[in-house]
Amino acid sequence: MGKIFVLVISVWGFTGDEWQYVGNQIVLNQDMTETQCEMMADSWTRWEDNEYFTFSVECHKKDTNL
């Protein structure tokens, strides 16, 4: 496998001026290609009723130097 990616879901809050990372995230412990990860990231349906909080679903390159 070439570059390895993981799916990360993080929580963000709106301050009234900008979106800021709240400090909470979950990472799917499954190594994927970038294409696989992007397909999974695009497979979610959102219901967001609170205009001050949101989830970010993103693919991040895995640090393989750990």
Side-chain angles (χ1 to χ4, degrees), residues 14-28:
F14 189 63
T15 65
D17 293 319
E18 64 183 358
W19 287 98
Q20 292 195 355
Y21 174 60
V22 172
N24 296 335
Q25 67 182 16
I26 58 174
V27 178
L28 180 62

Side-chain angles (χ1 to χ4, degrees), residues 3-58:
K3 295 179 183 174
I4 298 172
F5 288 81
V6 291
L7 183 69
V8 178
I9 301 173
S10 56
V11 182
W12 293 75
F14 189 63
T15 65
D17 293 319
E18 64 183 358
W19 287 98
Q20 292 195 355
Y21 174 60
V22 172
N24 296 335
Q25 67 182 16
I26 58 174
V27 178
L28 180 62
N29 292 320
Q30 178 178 335
D31 294 348
M32 296 177 265
T33 66
E34 186 174 15
T35 301
Q36 290 170 322
C37 189
E38 288 174 354
M39 286 177 56
M40 187 170 286
D42 292 339
S43 297
W44 296 84
T45 301
R46 293 176 182 248
W47 289 277
E48 295 180 317
D49 295 328
N50 187 327
E51 62 188 280
Y52 298 103
F53 288 95
T54 191
F55 294 99
S56 175
V57 181
E58 300 175 333

